[in-house]
Amino acid sequence: MKARNLERKSAITGVGQSAVGRRLNIDPLALTADACLEAIEDAGLTRDDIDGLSTYPGNMQAPAGFTGAGVTEVQEMLRLNLNWFCGGPELPGQLGAVINACAAVATGLARHVLCFRTVWESTAQGGGPRAGLGAGGGGGFRASGIMEWTLPFGAASAAVWIAMMARRHFHEFGTTREQMAQIALNSRKNAGLNPNAVYRDPMTMDDYFAARMISDPFCLYDCDAPVDGSTAIIVSATDAARDCRKTPLRVEAVGSALRGRPSWDQFDDLTTMALRDAGAMLWERTDLRPSDVHVAELYDGFSFITMCWLEALGFCAKGESGRFIEDGKAIALDGEIALNTHGGQLSAGRLHGFGFLHEAAVQLWHEGGARQVPVEPSVAVAAAGGGPLGGCLLLVRDD
Amino acid sequence: MSDKPFRLLPAVGPHNEHFWHGGAEGELRFLRCDACSTYVHPPLPICPECLGRALTPEAVSGRATVHTYTVNHHPWIPGFDPPYIVAIVDIEEQAGLRLTTNLVGCAPEDVQIGMPVKVCFEERDEGIHIPLFEPDPNAAKCRAEHIE
Ligand SMILES: [Zn+2]
């Protein structure tokens, strides 16, 4: 029996999501309220039951629309009585905020933690092309921190940094754009069954190859779609979860490791990123195996990141993700591992990590409607992050 | 006004001026640990290998190989016009010592992972010299001589 004290004491008990769309022009705090109140109701709780609050990244200096609400704003808006709260960007990916919540309920610091993530990048960026980091800085701008080593070279987006990781993977393992396209095609097919997805029209391989190049080998369809929207997740202590309305989704294991250098270019193996470490840690903490998982909701800020997660979580061998996905069958809704069943960020919209955990819960509660995975899944993994930041959770429905 | 492309420039201070000003003498410089000889990049006040406190800037040969690259087509930064090649290069002197940079003097279709390159510098305001890399036609010859 593996050590899993933290995980055995925490469960997902409710989820919520605001309207999601392009240029909604809605106050991001209002979107946040919609998601949070829906999640609280979904769990069968009231706001008086919430004693913990957690978010990524919260209030910080950030590109336009990257963060729509912080911890203190939400506490003020919902007048929560908190015993524990936490928000910040220095976490193992976006879902690090949820892993923190698991630790809080497992150690008794809180009983029901409301976790949320709000973006309004579509409205904030208007109709223009996606801007680079630092692009609005003006003549006096000087790059510092990790940006010092990338911005002077026009490497002004994670698209550029991760394109280089994909290129290295292509070089070492013979991966191709035709294979990588399956991530985008699979997501679009699933989005067609999801009424809340922002891009639902069918996409063909020809459409993919006709799209304009962003940063070779990434074309437009390898990059996620900025949207406005908020997602909320309730994490409850397992003893407190008995008070909730739905079957608790037990957190069987988490991965939060970073064992290489925290850098986009100095990390030892650019073809794995830190996802390797988070994935390895997750399986170190459970007796379940990758073959036990029915549903995988794996971050796709860029299509290649999903391939890295497939390898990091052991759904295929290192270097084999291209061959694993190349005919699309293994990752389809009725495949051996149903992947990004809502359409991912590529087609359902860039809810920045939390959308994957939301969808994992929807699938485990068999609420997926037309996109529901037919095997009535009981084990799902949700993972978010890329580059030097990644975190993942394995969820189990016991009944 | 110059004919060079617009670039976002780094914030330069005592901790990193060896790197950004080294090109004035034609040198690519990294901090190096006095005790264990590890090159430390990005700069830190102590050596992460041996925890030594004494680090001294030292020039390397400027020779490197392309670890990976991308041809960028998107206009991320107004005035820094695509297409341009962004690469991560492996610095010859130490395994894992890398720089993100631009490849110049090389057509996008001619770039290959593993190709030898050498540093060149683009002078900007305030003494900043941006280290770029270009194909190194003498690389095979240099390395053969080195082996002898
Ligand atoms: Zn040392």
Side-chain angles (χ1 to χ4, degrees), chain B residues 33 36 38 47 49-50 52:
Chain B
C33 176
C36 77
T38 299
C47 169
E49 288 296 327
C50 76

Side-chain angles (χ1 to χ4, degrees), chain A residues 140-163:
Chain A
F141 176 86
R142 289 290 182 274
S144 59
I146 62 166
M147 299 299 170
E148 173 183 352
W149 310 105
T150 53
L151 286 190
F153 307 99
S157 166
V160 179
W161 312 336
I162 296 175

Side-chain angles (χ1 to χ4, degrees), chain A residues 31 50 69 107 112 119 132-133 164 214 249 275 286 310 328 334 367:
Chain A
L31 294 173
I50 302 298
T107 52
H112 298 290
V119 291
L133 299 163
M164 291 192 281
I214 300 294
L249 306 177
L275 317 184
T286 175
L310 284 169
D334 59 354
E367 295 172 353

